[in-house]
Amino acid sequence: MFKKIFSQKDSDFNYLLLSIVLLVFSAPSHATQSQTLDRNQWLKARFGAQHEALIPVVAVADMLFSCQQQKQINENQTIKMLITQMDKNTLAEKLMTCLAGESPKSDTALNYGLKGCFHEQLANLPAEEKQQKMRLVTQSINELSRSERKKSFTQCVTDQAINYLQ
């Protein structure tokens, strides 16, 4: 049924699937969305330079967190700790070590980043619900093209960085 409706391209379907997952995770009311957008625009205008400088730090922290989690490197650090307490050069060095020779621009690093970003977005959910939604995220990541994953990661990190400015 879905394939008939979205028969243009598999990528359109996959992009829609991730969009639906995102909407399910963050489904505030229309009024709340409008207020959030206004606040985010104000934050960007007021803290634009800080926001732009924070985006790569947040992206690296997401990648490092998920990489360490996947490789079961027991650092006991949260993404927030990585962003707020670790020097950005140390953060980058730790990511390079964890990636073990892979580029931070690789598909593996991108997937780590997406998982890390969603991990933080879902942090306030009960453990069982969080695990269920992370399985959906992983499934969506596996079905999306690289360009769609990059768009999703960019949006997620941008939103995440805004939260650290608040």
Side-chain angles (χ1 to χ4, degrees):
M1 171 106 179
F2 283 110
K3 290 292 184 180
K4 280 185 180 179
I5 296 170
F6 303 106
S7 61
Q8 294 175 3
K9 287 185 185 175
D10 281 341
S11 64
D12 290 343
F13 174 74
N14 290 334
Y15 185 74
L16 182 61
L17 178 64
L18 185 59
S19 297
I20 291 169
V21 169
L22 287 170
L23 286 173
V24 168
F25 291 159
S26 57
S29 70
H30 182 66
T32 304
Q33 286 176 340
S34 178
Q35 290 171 344
T36 301
L37 287 174
D38 291 344
R39 180 171 171 77
N40 288 350
Q41 288 173 338
W42 176 81
L43 285 169
K44 282 182 185 178
R46 185 137 196 302
F47 301 105
Q50 288 172 307
H51 182 251
E52 290 300 316
L54 188 56
I55 287 174
V57 174
V58 172
V60 171
D62 286 339
M63 289 177 193
L64 176 59
F65 176 83
S66 188
C67 181
Q68 288 178 335
Q69 207 176 37
Q70 178 73 32
K71 293 184 177 187
Q72 299 178 341
I73 298 171
N74 191 10
E75 293 281 333
N76 290 327
Q77 297 170 322
T78 64
I79 293 172
K80 183 177 183 174
M81 288 172 59
L82 293 172
I83 293 169
T84 60
Q85 297 176 7
M86 189 174 287
D87 171 68
K88 67 180 181 179
N89 292 324
T90 304
L91 190 63
E93 289 170 12
K94 284 185 171 262
L95 176 61
M96 295 308 294
T97 300
C98 192
L99 289 176
E102 276 201 67
S103 168
K105 295 182 179 184
S106 69
D107 282 334
T108 301
L110 176 59
N111 292 348
Y112 283 150
L114 277 164
K115 287 178 183 179
C117 196
F118 277 102
H119 174 84
E120 184 159 277
Q121 285 188 3
L122 303 173
N124 295 326
L125 295 177
E128 187 176 315
E129 185 178 357
K130 181 179 175 182
Q131 285 178 338
Q132 179 185 25
K133 290 185 178 187
M134 284 304 294
R135 282 192 295 273
L136 287 172
V137 167
T138 300
Q139 178 184 351
S140 295
I141 288 171
N142 292 334
E143 294 174 0
L144 293 174
S145 70
R146 178 172 175 77
S147 65
E148 291 166 330
R149 285 180 286 135
K150 282 174 72 173
K151 281 192 275 186
S152 295
F153 185 51
T154 299
Q155 183 62 52
C156 188
V157 168
T158 299
D159 293 344
Q160 212 177 354
I162 289 169
N163 289 331
Y164 282 100
L165 292 175
Q166 297 180 12

CSV table of all heavy atoms in Angstrom, one decimal, residues 38-79:
chain,number,residue,atom,x,y,z
A,38,ASP,N,9.6,30.5,16.9
A,38,ASP,CA,9.9,31.9,17.2
A,38,ASP,C,11.1,32.0,18.2
A,38,ASP,O,12.0,32.8,18.0
A,38,ASP,CB,8.7,32.6,17.9
A,38,ASP,CG,7.5,32.8,16.9
A,38,ASP,OD1,7.8,32.7,15.7
A,38,ASP,OD2,6.4,33.0,17.4
A,39,ARG,N,11.1,31.1,19.2
A,39,ARG,CA,12.2,31.1,20.1
A,39,ARG,C,13.5,30.7,19.5
A,39,ARG,O,14.6,31.3,19.7
A,39,ARG,CB,11.9,30.2,21.3
A,39,ARG,CG,13.0,30.2,22.3
A,39,ARG,CD,12.6,29.4,23.6
A,39,ARG,NE,13.6,29.2,24.5
A,39,ARG,CZ,14.1,30.1,25.3
A,39,ARG,NH1,13.7,31.3,25.3
A,39,ARG,NH2,15.1,29.8,26.2
A,40,ASN,N,13.5,29.7,18.6
A,40,ASN,CA,14.7,29.2,17.9
A,40,ASN,C,15.2,30.3,17.0
A,40,ASN,O,16.4,30.5,16.9
A,40,ASN,CB,14.4,28.0,17.1
A,40,ASN,CG,14.2,26.8,18.1
A,40,ASN,OD1,14.5,26.8,19.3
A,40,ASN,ND2,13.8,25.7,17.5
A,41,GLN,N,14.3,31.0,16.3
A,41,GLN,CA,14.7,32.1,15.4
A,41,GLN,C,15.4,33.2,16.2
A,41,GLN,O,16.4,33.8,15.8
A,41,GLN,CB,13.6,32.7,14.6
A,41,GLN,CG,13.1,31.7,13.5
A,41,GLN,CD,11.9,32.2,12.8
A,41,GLN,OE1,11.1,33.0,13.4
A,41,GLN,NE2,11.6,31.7,11.6
A,42,TRP,N,14.8,33.6,17.4
A,42,TRP,CA,15.4,34.6,18.2
A,42,TRP,C,16.8,34.2,18.7
A,42,TRP,O,17.7,34.9,18.7
A,42,TRP,CB,14.5,34.9,19.5
A,42,TRP,CG,15.1,35.8,20.4
A,42,TRP,CD1,15.0,37.2,20.3
A,42,TRP,CD2,15.7,35.5,21.6
A,42,TRP,NE1,15.7,37.7,21.4
A,42,TRP,CE2,16.1,36.7,22.2
A,42,TRP,CE3,16.1,34.3,22.3
A,42,TRP,CZ2,16.8,36.8,23.4
A,42,TRP,CZ3,16.8,34.4,23.5
A,42,TRP,CH2,17.1,35.6,24.0
A,43,LEU,N,16.9,32.9,19.1
A,43,LEU,CA,18.2,32.4,19.6
A,43,LEU,C,19.2,32.4,18.5
A,43,LEU,O,20.4,32.8,18.7
A,43,LEU,CB,18.0,30.9,20.1
A,43,LEU,CG,17.4,30.8,21.5
A,43,LEU,CD1,17.0,29.3,21.7
A,43,LEU,CD2,18.3,31.3,22.6
A,44,LYS,N,18.8,32.0,17.3
A,44,LYS,CA,19.8,32.1,16.1
A,44,LYS,C,20.2,33.5,15.9
A,44,LYS,O,21.4,33.8,15.6
A,44,LYS,CB,19.1,31.5,14.9
A,44,LYS,CG,19.1,30.0,14.9
A,44,LYS,CD,18.5,29.4,13.6
A,44,LYS,CE,18.4,28.0,13.6
A,44,LYS,NZ,17.8,27.5,12.4
A,45,ALA,N,19.3,34.5,15.9
A,45,ALA,CA,19.6,35.9,15.6
A,45,ALA,C,20.6,36.4,16.7
A,45,ALA,O,21.5,37.1,16.4
A,45,ALA,CB,18.4,36.7,15.6
A,46,ARG,N,20.3,36.1,17.9
A,46,ARG,CA,21.1,36.6,19.1
A,46,ARG,C,22.4,35.9,19.3
A,46,ARG,O,23.4,36.5,19.6
A,46,ARG,CB,20.2,36.5,20.4
A,46,ARG,CG,20.9,37.1,21.5
A,46,ARG,CD,19.9,37.9,22.4
A,46,ARG,NE,20.5,38.8,23.3
A,46,ARG,CZ,21.3,38.6,24.3
A,46,ARG,NH1,21.8,37.4,24.5
A,46,ARG,NH2,21.7,39.5,25.2
A,47,PHE,N,22.4,34.6,19.0
A,47,PHE,CA,23.6,33.8,19.3
A,47,PHE,C,24.1,33.1,18.0
A,47,PHE,O,24.7,32.0,18.1
A,47,PHE,CB,23.3,32.7,20.4
A,47,PHE,CG,22.8,33.3,21.7
A,47,PHE,CD1,21.5,33.3,22.0
A,47,PHE,CD2,23.7,33.9,22.5
A,47,PHE,CE1,21.0,33.8,23.2
A,47,PHE,CE2,23.3,34.5,23.7
A,47,PHE,CZ,21.9,34.4,24.1
A,48,GLY,N,23.9,33.7,16.9
A,48,GLY,CA,24.2,33.0,15.6
A,48,GLY,C,25.7,32.6,15.5
A,48,GLY,O,25.9,31.4,15.1
A,49,ALA,N,26.6,33.4,15.9
A,49,ALA,CA,28.0,33.0,15.8
A,49,ALA,C,28.3,31.9,16.7
A,49,ALA,O,29.1,31.0,16.4
A,49,ALA,CB,28.9,34.3,16.1
A,50,GLN,N,27.8,32.0,17.9
A,50,GLN,CA,28.0,30.9,18.9
A,50,GLN,C,27.4,29.6,18.4
A,50,GLN,O,28.0,28.5,18.6
A,50,GLN,CB,27.4,31.2,20.3
A,50,GLN,CG,28.2,32.3,21.0
A,50,GLN,CD,27.4,32.8,22.3
A,50,GLN,OE1,26.3,33.1,22.2
A,50,GLN,NE2,28.1,32.7,23.4
A,51,HIS,N,26.2,29.7,17.8
A,51,HIS,CA,25.5,28.5,17.3
A,51,HIS,C,26.4,27.9,16.2
A,51,HIS,O,26.5,26.6,16.2
A,51,HIS,CB,24.1,29.0,16.8
A,51,HIS,CG,23.3,27.8,16.3
A,51,HIS,ND1,23.1,27.7,14.9
A,51,HIS,CD2,22.7,26.8,16.9
A,51,HIS,CE1,22.4,26.6,14.7
A,51,HIS,NE2,22.1,26.0,15.9
A,52,GLU,N,26.8,28.7,15.3
A,52,GLU,CA,27.7,28.1,14.2
A,52,GLU,C,28.9,27.5,14.7
A,52,GLU,O,29.4,26.5,14.2
A,52,GLU,CB,28.0,29.2,13.2
A,52,GLU,CG,26.8,29.7,12.4
A,52,GLU,CD,26.2,28.6,11.5
A,52,GLU,OE1,26.9,27.8,10.9
A,52,GLU,OE2,24.9,28.5,11.5
A,53,ALA,N,29.5,28.0,15.7
A,53,ALA,CA,30.7,27.4,16.3
A,53,ALA,C,30.4,26.2,17.1
A,53,ALA,O,31.3,25.3,17.2
A,53,ALA,CB,31.4,28.4,17.2
A,54,LEU,N,29.2,26.1,17.6
A,54,LEU,CA,28.8,24.9,18.4
A,54,LEU,C,28.4,23.7,17.6
A,54,LEU,O,28.6,22.6,18.0
A,54,LEU,CB,27.7,25.3,19.4
A,54,LEU,CG,27.2,24.4,20.4
A,54,LEU,CD1,28.4,24.0,21.4
A,54,LEU,CD2,26.1,25.0,21.3
A,55,ILE,N,27.9,23.9,16.4
A,55,ILE,CA,27.4,22.9,15.6
A,55,ILE,C,28.5,21.8,15.3
A,55,ILE,O,28.2,20.6,15.5
A,55,ILE,CB,26.9,23.4,14.2
A,55,ILE,CG1,25.5,24.1,14.5
A,55,ILE,CG2,26.7,22.3,13.2
A,55,ILE,CD1,24.9,24.8,13.3
A,56,PRO,N,29.7,22.1,14.9
A,56,PRO,CA,30.7,21.0,14.7
A,56,PRO,C,31.1,20.3,16.0
A,56,PRO,O,31.3,19.0,16.0
A,56,PRO,CB,31.9,21.7,14.1
A,56,PRO,CG,31.7,23.1,14.2
A,56,PRO,CD,30.3,23.4,14.5
A,57,VAL,N,31.1,21.0,17.1
A,57,VAL,CA,31.4,20.3,18.4
A,57,VAL,C,30.3,19.3,18.7
A,57,VAL,O,30.5,18.2,19.2
A,57,VAL,CB,31.5,21.4,19.5
A,57,VAL,CG1,31.7,20.7,20.9
A,57,VAL,CG2,32.7,22.3,19.2
A,58,VAL,N,29.0,19.7,18.5
A,58,VAL,CA,27.9,18.8,18.8
A,58,VAL,C,27.9,17.6,17.9
A,58,VAL,O,27.7,16.5,18.3
A,58,VAL,CB,26.5,19.6,18.7
A,58,VAL,CG1,25.4,18.6,18.7
A,58,VAL,CG2,26.4,20.7,19.7
A,59,ALA,N,28.2,17.8,16.6
A,59,ALA,CA,28.3,16.7,15.7
A,59,ALA,C,29.4,15.7,16.1
A,59,ALA,O,29.2,14.5,16.0
A,59,ALA,CB,28.6,17.3,14.3
A,60,VAL,N,30.6,16.2,16.4
A,60,VAL,CA,31.7,15.3,16.8
A,60,VAL,C,31.3,14.6,18.1
A,60,VAL,O,31.5,13.4,18.3
A,60,VAL,CB,33.0,16.1,17.0
A,60,VAL,CG1,34.1,15.3,17.6
A,60,VAL,CG2,33.4,16.6,15.6
A,61,ALA,N,30.7,15.3,19.1
A,61,ALA,CA,30.2,14.7,20.3
A,61,ALA,C,29.2,13.5,20.1
A,61,ALA,O,29.3,12.5,20.7
A,61,ALA,CB,29.7,15.7,21.3
A,62,ASP,N,28.3,13.8,19.2
A,62,ASP,CA,27.3,12.7,18.8
A,62,ASP,C,28.0,11.5,18.2
A,62,ASP,O,27.7,10.4,18.6
A,62,ASP,CB,26.3,13.3,17.8
A,62,ASP,CG,25.3,14.2,18.4
A,62,ASP,OD1,25.1,14.2,19.6
A,62,ASP,OD2,24.7,15.0,17.6
A,63,MET,N,28.9,11.8,17.3
A,63,MET,CA,29.6,10.7,16.7
A,63,MET,C,30.5,9.9,17.7
A,63,MET,O,30.4,8.6,17.7
A,63,MET,CB,30.6,11.2,15.6
A,63,MET,CG,29.9,11.7,14.4
A,63,MET,SD,31.1,12.3,13.2
A,63,MET,CE,30.0,13.2,12.1
A,64,LEU,N,31.2,10.6,18.5
A,64,LEU,CA,32.1,10.0,19.5
A,64,LEU,C,31.2,9.1,20.5
A,64,LEU,O,31.6,8.0,20.8
A,64,LEU,CB,32.9,11.0,20.3
A,64,LEU,CG,33.8,10.4,21.4
A,64,LEU,CD1,34.7,9.4,20.9
A,64,LEU,CD2,34.5,11.6,22.1
A,65,PHE,N,30.2,9.7,21.0
A,65,PHE,CA,29.3,9.0,22.0
A,65,PHE,C,28.8,7.7,21.4
A,65,PHE,O,29.0,6.6,22.0
A,65,PHE,CB,28.1,9.9,22.4
A,65,PHE,CG,27.2,9.2,23.3
A,65,PHE,CD1,27.5,9.1,24.7
A,65,PHE,CD2,26.1,8.6,22.8
A,65,PHE,CE1,26.6,8.5,25.6
A,65,PHE,CE2,25.2,7.9,23.7
A,65,PHE,CZ,25.5,7.9,25.1
A,66,SER,N,28.3,7.7,20.2
A,66,SER,CA,27.7,6.5,19.6
A,66,SER,C,28.8,5.5,19.2
A,66,SER,O,28.6,4.3,19.4
A,66,SER,CB,26.9,6.9,18.4
A,66,SER,OG,26.2,5.8,17.9
A,67,CYS,N,29.9,6.0,18.8
A,67,CYS,CA,31.1,5.1,18.4
A,67,CYS,C,31.5,4.4,19.7
A,67,CYS,O,31.7,3.2,19.7
A,67,CYS,CB,32.2,6.0,17.8
A,67,CYS,SG,33.6,5.0,17.3
A,68,GLN,N,31.7,5.1,20.8
A,68,GLN,CA,32.1,4.5,22.0
A,68,GLN,C,31.1,3.5,22.5
A,68,GLN,O,31.4,2.4,23.0
A,68,GLN,CB,32.4,5.6,23.1
A,68,GLN,CG,33.7,6.3,22.8
A,68,GLN,CD,33.9,7.4,23.9
A,68,GLN,OE1,33.0,7.9,24.5
A,68,GLN,NE2,35.2,7.8,24.0
A,69,GLN,N,29.8,3.8,22.4
A,69,GLN,CA,28.8,2.9,22.8
A,69,GLN,C,28.8,1.7,21.9
A,69,GLN,O,28.7,0.6,22.5
A,69,GLN,CB,27.4,3.7,22.6
A,69,GLN,CG,26.4,3.2,23.6
A,69,GLN,CD,25.1,4.0,23.4
A,69,GLN,OE1,24.7,4.4,22.4
A,69,GLN,NE2,24.4,4.2,24.6
A,70,GLN,N,28.9,1.8,20.6
A,70,GLN,CA,28.9,0.7,19.7
A,70,GLN,C,30.1,-0.2,20.0
A,70,GLN,O,30.0,-1.5,20.0
A,70,GLN,CB,29.0,1.2,18.3
A,70,GLN,CG,29.1,0.1,17.2
A,70,GLN,CD,27.7,-0.6,17.1
A,70,GLN,OE1,26.7,-0.1,17.2
A,70,GLN,NE2,27.8,-1.9,16.7
A,71,LYS,N,31.3,0.4,20.3
A,71,LYS,CA,32.5,-0.4,20.5
A,71,LYS,C,32.7,-0.8,22.0
A,71,LYS,O,33.7,-1.3,22.4
A,71,LYS,CB,33.7,0.3,20.0
A,71,LYS,CG,33.7,0.5,18.5
A,71,LYS,CD,34.9,1.2,18.0
A,71,LYS,CE,34.9,1.2,16.5
A,71,LYS,NZ,36.1,1.7,15.9
A,72,GLN,N,31.7,-0.5,22.8
A,72,GLN,CA,31.7,-0.8,24.2
A,72,GLN,C,32.9,-0.2,24.9
A,72,GLN,O,33.5,-0.9,25.7
A,72,GLN,CB,31.5,-2.2,24.4
A,72,GLN,CG,30.1,-2.7,23.9
A,72,GLN,CD,29.9,-4.2,24.0
A,72,GLN,OE1,30.9,-5.0,24.3
A,72,GLN,NE2,28.7,-4.6,23.9
A,73,ILE,N,33.3,1.0,24.6
A,73,ILE,CA,34.3,1.7,25.3
A,73,ILE,C,33.7,2.4,26.4
A,73,ILE,O,32.8,3.3,26.3
A,73,ILE,CB,35.0,2.7,24.3
A,73,ILE,CG1,35.6,2.0,23.1
A,73,ILE,CG2,36.0,3.5,25.1
A,73,ILE,CD1,36.1,2.9,22.0
A,74,ASN,N,34.1,2.0,27.6
A,74,ASN,CA,33.4,2.4,28.8
A,74,ASN,C,34.0,3.8,29.3
A,74,ASN,O,34.9,3.8,30.2
A,74,ASN,CB,33.5,1.4,29.9
A,74,ASN,CG,32.6,1.7,31.1
A,74,ASN,OD1,31.8,2.6,31.0
A,74,ASN,ND2,32.8,0.9,32.2
A,75,GLU,N,33.5,4.9,28.8
A,75,GLU,CA,33.9,6.2,29.2
A,75,GLU,C,33.0,6.8,30.2
A,75,GLU,O,33.3,7.8,30.8
A,75,GLU,CB,34.1,7.1,27.9
A,75,GLU,CG,35.2,6.7,27.0
A,75,GLU,CD,36.6,7.2,27.5
A,75,GLU,OE1,36.7,8.2,28.2
A,75,GLU,OE2,37.5,6.5,27.1
A,76,ASN,N,31.8,6.3,30.3
A,76,ASN,CA,30.7,6.8,31.2
A,76,ASN,C,30.5,8.3,31.0
A,76,ASN,O,30.5,9.1,32.0
A,76,ASN,CB,31.0,6.5,32.6
A,76,ASN,CG,30.9,5.0,32.9
A,76,ASN,OD1,30.0,4.4,32.3
A,76,ASN,ND2,31.7,4.5,33.8
A,77,GLN,N,30.5,8.8,29.8
A,77,GLN,CA,30.2,10.2,29.6
A,77,GLN,C,28.9,10.4,28.8
A,77,GLN,O,28.6,9.6,27.9
A,77,GLN,CB,31.4,10.8,28.7
A,77,GLN,CG,32.7,10.7,29.5
A,77,GLN,CD,33.9,11.1,28.6
A,77,GLN,OE1,33.9,10.7,27.4
A,77,GLN,NE2,34.8,11.8,29.2
A,78,THR,N,28.2,11.4,29.1
A,78,THR,CA,27.0,11.8,28.3
A,78,THR,C,27.4,12.7,27.2
A,78,THR,O,28.5,13.3,27.2
A,78,THR,CB,26.0,12.5,29.2
A,78,THR,OG1,26.6,13.7,29.6
A,78,THR,CG2,25.6,11.7,30.4
A,79,ILE,N,26.5,12.8,26.2
A,79,ILE,CA,26.8,13.7,25.1
A,79,ILE,C,26.9,15.2,25.7
A,79,ILE,O,27.8,15.9,25.3
A,79,ILE,CB,25.7,13.7,24.1
A,79,ILE,CG1,25.7,12.3,23.4
A,79,ILE,CG2,25.8,14.8,23.0
A,79,ILE,CD1,24.6,12.0,22.5
